[in-house]
């Protein structure tokens, strides 16, 4: 009987020693373990020996630096992701200078270019865009509509019948508006449909349109717009490489080269403009904007020129 009790005590000491190796303060008394002031029944040391590796592995997991490229088995690979963590998008409209890569039609690296923040990073205001577009569309109307008044319409001026005695309504001419072939009353005459818009508002609208394209990642800068030949397939091949693009606007600094004109004249979804002709409405009609380095410099110079009052 005494031998069996001594064996039980030794077993309890062995199990408690295994707990002590795991870092918990343990004492034994009367066949029970005393852990942190609480009496717990003793367990066979073999059980703790089996689970010791599990606890040690958990401790190792809790102190390891976990990266997707870890290959030493520090963390199960099925719990890690290979996706790149997306960085927060920059805040738009802080007038910060933007650094953008410069390429060409052959996708060659031509360095980088700094875009002025006061031109390409201004706050987006839809009301300014609406006012500028209304001004553009109103100003480009021809206003040549015209109708003839009673003095301009062809026909005699004789009184059709006498004033009284016929039983009919009295009339003084057959060229009135109530007769077929007669005049048009209050009809349109040639006039200008242009509305007034301050120059600083027009300039701000162009800045907002450029800033919107830059914020969307739809603004690209080329070293130049030179192409190898006038073949349309050169432009079509480049357009097919672009993603999420339905219409493309090319903006060059000076006069458009003859090769570029011939290459784009038969492609309805690609248009070319000189920098002096860049406007808000054209930018909105095209979802992707490609500007040459010279065009960017000329636009920035134009935006920084004082307004003549």
């Amino acid at each position: 009987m005494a031998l069996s009790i001594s064996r039980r005590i030794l077993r309890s000491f062995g199990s408690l020693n295994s707990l002590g190796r795991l870092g918990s303060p343990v004492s034994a008394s009367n066949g029970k373990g005393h852990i942190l002031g609480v009496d717990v029944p003793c367990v066979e040391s073999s059980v703790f020996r089996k689970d010791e590796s599990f606890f040690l592995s958990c401790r190792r997991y809790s102190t390891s630096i976990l990266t997707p490229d870890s290959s030493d088995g520090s963390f199960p690979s099925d719990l890690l992701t290979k996706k790149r963590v997306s960085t927060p998008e920059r805040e738009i409209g802080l007038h910060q200078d933007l650094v953008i890569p410069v390429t060409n039609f052959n996708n060659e690296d031509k360095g980088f270019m700094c875009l002025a923040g006061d031109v390409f990073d201004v706050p987006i205001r839809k009301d300014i865009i609406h006012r500028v577009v209304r001004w553009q569309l109103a100003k480009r109307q021809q206003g040549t509509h015209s109708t003839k008044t009673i003095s301009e319409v062809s026909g005699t001026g004789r009184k059709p019948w006498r004033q009284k005695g016929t039983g009919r309504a009295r009339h003084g001419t057959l060229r009135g508006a109530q007769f077929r072939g007669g005049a048009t009353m209050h009809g349109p005459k040639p006039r200008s449909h242009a509305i007034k818009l301050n120059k600083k508002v027009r300039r701000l609208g162009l800045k907002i349109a450029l800033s919107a394209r830059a914020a969307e990642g739809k603004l690209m800068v080329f070293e130049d717009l030179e192409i190898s030949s006038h073949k349309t397939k050169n432009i079509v091949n480049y357009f097919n490489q672009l993603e999420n693009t339905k219409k493309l606007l090319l903006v060059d600094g000076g006069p458009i080269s003859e090769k570029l004109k011939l290459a784009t004249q038969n492609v309805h979804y690609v248009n070319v403009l000189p920098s002096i002709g860049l406007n808000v409405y054209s930018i909105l009609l095209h979802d992707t904007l490609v500007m040459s380095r010279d065009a960017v410099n000329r636009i920035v110079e134009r935006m920084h020129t004082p307004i003549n009052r």
Side-chain angles (χ1 to χ4, degrees):
M1 185 67 178
L3 183 60
S4 61
I5 295 175
S6 61
R7 286 180 179 177
R8 188 176 303 172
I9 293 175
L10 288 177
R11 289 172 185 172
S12 65
F13 272 117
S15 61
L16 295 176
N17 287 335
S18 64
L19 276 177
R21 286 195 300 270
L22 291 179
S24 299
V26 179
S27 61
S29 176
N30 297 327
K32 291 186 178 181
H34 191 71
I35 304 176
L36 299 178
V38 180
D39 291 335
V40 295
C42 294
V43 189
E44 293 291 338
S45 62
S46 60
V47 177
F48 283 97
R49 289 194 188 96
K50 291 179 182 179
D51 296 339
E52 183 177 358
S53 60
F54 172 77
F55 289 118
L56 291 177
S57 62
C58 290
R59 177 182 293 180
R60 181 179 56 169
Y61 292 159
S62 63
T63 58
S64 301
I65 299 177
L66 306 177
T67 60
D69 298 330
S70 300
S71 58
D72 56 349
S74 59
F75 202 81
S77 59
D78 56 338
L79 299 181
L80 292 176
T81 178
K82 297 293 184 179
K83 295 181 180 180
R84 180 178 298 178
V85 178
S86 61
T87 57
E89 297 182 357
R90 67 177 182 88
E91 188 173 352
I92 304 172
L94 299 181
H95 297 86
Q96 296 177 348
D97 293 343
L98 307 178
V99 178
I100 187 171
V102 180
T103 60
N104 56 12
F105 284 113
N106 298 324
N107 294 325
E108 299 174 351
D109 186 12
K110 296 294 182 178
F112 295 89
M113 186 174 188
C114 183
L115 304 180
D118 57 347
V119 178
F120 293 91
D121 189 26
V122 300
I124 307 300
R125 290 186 55 184
K126 294 182 180 180
D127 59 318
I128 298 295
I129 294 292
H130 177 256
R131 292 176 62 185
V132 176
V133 170
R134 282 189 65 245
W135 171 78
Q136 277 192 245
L137 297 183
K139 188 176 179 60
R140 78 176 188 177
Q141 282 188 255
Q142 292 182 352
T144 56
H145 40 52
S146 179
T147 55
K148 290 184 178 182
T149 63
I150 195 170
S151 63
E152 297 170 340
V153 71
S154 176
T156 180
R158 183 178 68 88
K159 187 176 177 65
W161 49 80
R162 63 182 181 173
Q163 181 78 358
K164 300 174 73 66
T166 62
R168 303 183 67 181
R170 54 195 176 185
H171 291 290
T173 177
L174 292 178
R175 300 300 91 186
Q178 68 272 30
F179 293 108
R180 183 177 64 88
T184 301
M185 302 304 296
H186 309 293
K189 301 298 287 184
R191 67 182 181 92
S192 173
H193 292 267
I195 57 178
K196 183 181 182 299
L197 190 64
N198 294 337
K199 292 181 180 179
K200 61 179 181 181
V201 180
R202 299 181 230 163
R203 179 173 291 185
L204 179 59
L206 184 57
K207 292 179 180 180
I208 293 174
L210 293 173
S211 301
R213 287 291 176 261
E216 295 169 353
K218 293 292 188 176
L219 174 64
M220 293 179 287
V221 178
F222 280 12
E223 182 68 24
D224 51 47
L225 298 183
E226 296 295 330
I227 54 179
S228 57
S229 67
H230 64 280
K231 294 294 185 180
T232 306
K233 65 180 180 180
N234 297 328
I235 298 297
V236 173
N237 292 337
Y238 174 75
F239 181 84
N240 293 334
Q241 298 175 7
L242 301 176
E243 297 181 357
N244 300 325
T245 299
K246 294 183 178 180
K247 296 193 71 175
L248 175 65
L249 179 62
L250 305 176
V251 182
D252 204 353
I256 307 301
S257 64
E258 194 65 26
K259 288 184 179 179
L260 190 59
K261 285 183 181 179
L262 295 175
T264 58
Q265 65 180 0
N266 289 333
V267 185
H268 68 275
Y269 46 81
V270 178
N271 293 312
V272 186
L273 281 178
S275 61
I276 193 63
L278 184 62
N279 58 87
V280 175
Y281 191 60
S282 296
I283 295 176
L284 297 182
L285 287 180
H286 303 79
D287 50 14
T288 302
L289 180 62
V290 175
M291 303 178 67
S292 64
R293 190 189 291 267
D294 186 28
V296 173
N297 292 332
R298 294 197 183 195
I299 290 294
V300 172
E301 181 182 1
R302 193 172 89 189
M303 294 295 104
H304 291 168
T305 303
I307 297 176
N308 295 327
R309 299 187 181 274

